[in-house]
Amino acid sequence: MEVRTMDRNEIRRLATIATLGLLGLVSLIGIVLPNSTAGEVFYTAIGQSTIESSLRLAVPIALTALGGLYAEKSGVINIGLEGLLIISAFTAVLVADLLGGAGSTGFPPIITFSLGGSTYTIDPGLQLLIPNVWLGIAGGVLSSMLLAFLFGVICIRYEGDQIIAGLAVWLVALGLAPFASKVVYGQPSTDQIVRLGDWTVPVLSDIPFVGPILFDANPMVFIMLASVPIAWYGLNRTSFGYWVRASGENPKALDTVGVNVNRVRYAAVLISGFFAGIGGTALSLGSGGFFNGAGGTMVDGRGFIAIAAYLFGNYNPFGAFAASYLFSGLQALQIRLQGIAPTEVFLMLPYIVVVIVLVLVGRTRLPEAAGEHYESGED
């Protein structure tokens, strides 16, 4: 009797059915028996506070994934995203602090004069237009883009190994940010300064359940939700997006039609620095208002998770966002369920699901020219 072995696609389908079946079973038990452990897990997972936390935790991962996606689609594998997150998170706090910290405008007065024994100051009121927290965010994004540009020069201009250069970016940032914090603040972590407050959209924020989640949130959540469709449109519906994809798939063809491949790759790497910079500032100024440089820093591997996210999403910005939300949602759920079962079980949960997703997704096809150098005029 002939024994037939299952191919990879059949195994993936069975794994998908089994996973969805398990999730469906847990959900059904939770609905029928709301007081059971399954019920607590189910209703906690769909709770408003869990969804709000999941969106907030997804911001640095999703934004960084969007940037890494652009770089890799252009043919440059940027595994230094973790370093970009670290340097931008620290620089954002430092710049905001130097410009005034928690209670200052961050701008010098225009005119100071004395009259009748009293001193008068004319303040331009620029803090109303550009608060120092936003200038800190701008500084963080700029530092990330500068480091990304340095990475691009090494890999594109001097044809350095992209993996080694990416690791160097991470290690440099991992050492530089805590060291700079020690110089300025006397410790690896900065002082707590100003942070972004939530934005509330009138009327829309009053919509039951959905309103508080989508229309009464941290500004970084709004930026993330806007960035995903913009990144998708830019990659799939513009000439530049076509150039990025062609640069990663067939750079010679792009060169033949007169487009400078290296310039496209520089632009894509800078985009990765831009998005990672926003993600890093979301961790510091968008959350607690400080930078934690202890251990692996407050970034804590999110740059590497972002790489997994855009691979899970098959280089689609919407898919990358979904994968980011999956991981952040499990983190938020883990925090809220630690009293129900042993803590270790829920600490493992996000990583177990990552392994399951790897099985379901299988191998993602890299761009044909990813990691390869290109010079105009090559045969």
Side-chain angles (χ1 to χ4, degrees):
M1 180 178 178
E2 182 180 354
V3 179
R4 188 177 71 87
T5 59
M6 292 187 295
D7 61 21
R8 188 181 184 87
N9 290 330
E10 288 178 315
I11 295 174
R12 196 179 305 160
R13 280 195 294 270
L14 287 176
T16 302
I17 293 171
T19 302
L20 293 177
L22 178 61
L23 291 174
L25 179 62
V26 172
S27 300
L28 181 62
I29 295 174
I31 294 171
V32 175
L33 301 172
N35 294 324
S36 65
T37 299
E40 290 189 59
V41 171
F42 176 75
Y43 286 104
T44 300
I46 64 172
Q48 177 181 311
S49 62
T50 303
I51 296 174
E52 289 175 350
S53 297
S54 300
L55 283 173
R56 189 175 64 253
L57 291 170
V59 171
I61 301 173
L63 288 173
T64 305
L66 294 179
L69 182 156
Y70 264 81
E72 195 154 317
K73 286 294 282 184
S74 76
V76 180
I77 302 173
N78 187 358
I79 67 167
L81 296 173
E82 180 88 354
L84 302 183
L85 282 170
I86 293 172
I87 205 68
S88 59
F90 168 72
T91 306
V93 175
L94 179 64
V95 171
D97 196 14
L98 292 177
L99 291 177
S104 173
T105 68
F107 290 91
I110 295 296
I111 300 174
T112 301
F113 61 95
S114 298
L115 182 63
S118 300
T119 300
Y120 297 90
T121 299
I122 299 177
D123 193 316
L126 290 177
Q127 71 274 16
L128 300 177
L129 300 176
I130 313 176
N132 60 305
V133 63
W134 286 104
L135 291 172
I137 289 171
V141 172
L142 180 60
S143 68
S144 176
M145 293 181 71
L146 288 174
L147 190 55
F149 178 72
L150 177 62
F151 166 78
V153 170
I154 294 171
C155 296
I156 300 171
R157 173 67 179 85
Y158 295 102
E159 301 185 355
D161 185 282
Q162 294 176 7
I163 303 301
I164 295 175
L167 288 174
V169 167
W170 167 44
L171 294 173
V172 167
L174 184 62
L176 179 60
F179 173 75
S181 181
K182 279 187 176 182
V183 172
V184 178
Y185 298 97
Q187 56 186 1
S189 302
T190 68
D191 297 336
Q192 186 173 27
I193 59 167
V194 66
R195 61 175 292 274
L196 284 173
D198 291 349
W199 283 358
T200 302
V201 180
V203 181
L204 294 178
S205 60
D206 297 328
I207 299 174
F209 191 79
V210 176
I213 295 174
L214 295 180
F215 304 109
D216 186 9
N218 190 281
M220 291 298 182
V221 174
F222 292 111
I223 291 173
M224 174 186 68
L225 294 177
S227 296
V228 173
I230 291 172
W232 179 89
Y233 184 86
L235 190 64
N236 295 283
R237 293 292 185 270
T238 66
S239 297
F240 174 72
Y242 169 78
W243 296 343
V244 168
R245 289 181 283 124
S247 174
E249 294 291 348
N250 193 342
K252 183 172 179 57
L254 185 62
D255 188 22
T256 301
V257 298
V259 178
N260 189 303
V261 173
N262 286 342
R263 286 184 182 176
V264 173
R265 290 184 172 182
Y266 272 121
V269 169
L270 286 174
I271 288 173
S272 73
F274 174 77
F275 279 117
I278 301 176
T281 61
L283 278 173
S284 53
L285 293 183
S287 182
F290 68 98
F291 170 78
N292 181 0
T297 76
M298 66 192 307
V299 174
D300 197 26
R302 287 175 174 84
F304 298 111
I305 296 171
I307 295 173
Y310 70 71
L311 291 176
F312 291 167
N314 198 25
Y315 299 99
N316 184 307
F318 288 104
F321 168 71
S324 302
Y325 183 83
L326 171 65
F327 193 87
S328 64
L330 289 168
Q331 284 185 308
L333 187 62
Q334 160 212 307
I335 293 170
R336 283 160 175 74
L337 294 179
Q338 288 182 9
I340 298 176
T343 302
E344 292 78 8
V345 174
F346 292 102
L347 288 174
M348 291 164 50
L349 186 60
Y351 305 98
I352 292 173
V353 173
V354 166
V355 173
I356 294 174
V357 171
L358 278 171
V359 173
L360 299 183
V361 173
R363 293 182 179 177
T364 302
R365 191 187 72 82
L366 294 174
E368 289 291 337
E372 297 180 4
H373 305 296
Y374 181 79
E375 286 188 17
S376 180
E378 284 185 344
D379 294 329

